[in-house]
Amino acid sequence: MFSTILIILTVLFLLVNVLSFFLKKSYKKSFYDSALLTKLFLILSGLTVGFACLYYLLSLEKPILKINDPTDEVAEVTFLDALYFSGVTMLSVGYGDLVPIGSARFFSLVQAALGLLLPTVYFVKALTETNDKN
């Protein structure tokens, strides 16, 4: 019971911090474009689901993921497993519990590159527009 209360308080604390970042307009020479951020979020989400579909369809033909433990077993990929792997790859978290094999290695590299480059382009665009307005 006590841990549940602490978890709820922690989640509320995190939400307040995130909201305060987006709602406070007191920063000088700052730029925040909600449309651009929404577009980035939707694109990253769409790519994550799209790559998850790709990984799942590839897994129907042959194994594409291994479990990273001493047994080195091939993972039985469900769509949720593919979505998890896709999300971890897109966000460049790379927990390492699932390792791509075969053709999934190439696609995971492409996805990881997109996961790094798209947010970078967002911030460069935001900074460029901030400098153009000054």
Side-chain angles (χ1 to χ4, degrees):
M1 176 67 175
F2 183 68
S3 63
T4 304
I5 292 170
L6 288 176
I7 290 171
I8 291 170
L9 289 174
T10 303
V11 169
L12 288 174
F13 174 76
L14 293 171
L15 286 174
V16 167
N17 278 303
V18 169
L19 287 174
S20 69
F21 176 77
F22 290 111
L23 296 179
K24 287 186 180 178
K25 303 272 183 177
S26 63
Y27 301 110
K28 289 185 177 182
K29 297 182 181 179
S30 67
F31 180 76
Y32 164 70
D33 186 356
S34 61
L36 189 59
L37 184 62
T38 303
K39 183 178 179 181
L40 175 66
F41 175 77
L42 291 174
I43 288 172
L44 289 176
S45 298
L47 286 172
T48 301
V49 172
F51 274 98
C53 291
L54 177 66
Y55 295 136
Y56 181 71
L57 293 172
L58 286 171
S59 74
L60 296 176
E61 293 182 5
K62 58 184 176 181
I64 61 158
L65 295 175
K66 279 188 176 182
I67 299 172
N68 190 18
D69 64 5
T71 63
D72 210 26
E73 293 179 28
V74 172
E76 295 292 327
V77 179
T78 64
F79 182 75
L80 289 178
D81 292 331
L83 186 61
Y84 165 78
F85 177 74
S86 180
V88 168
T89 303
M90 180 62 74
L91 297 173
S92 299
V93 175
Y95 290 126
D97 53 346
L98 296 174
V99 178
I101 57 175
S103 59
R105 293 175 71 184
F106 170 75
F107 292 115
S108 64
L109 284 173
V110 171
Q111 184 181 13
L114 288 171
L116 285 171
L117 293 175
L118 289 176
T120 302
V121 169
Y122 166 79
F123 288 112
V124 167
K125 183 172 175 64
L127 289 172
T128 303
E129 289 182 12
T130 301
N131 290 335
D132 289 347
K133 289 184 177 184
N134 293 329

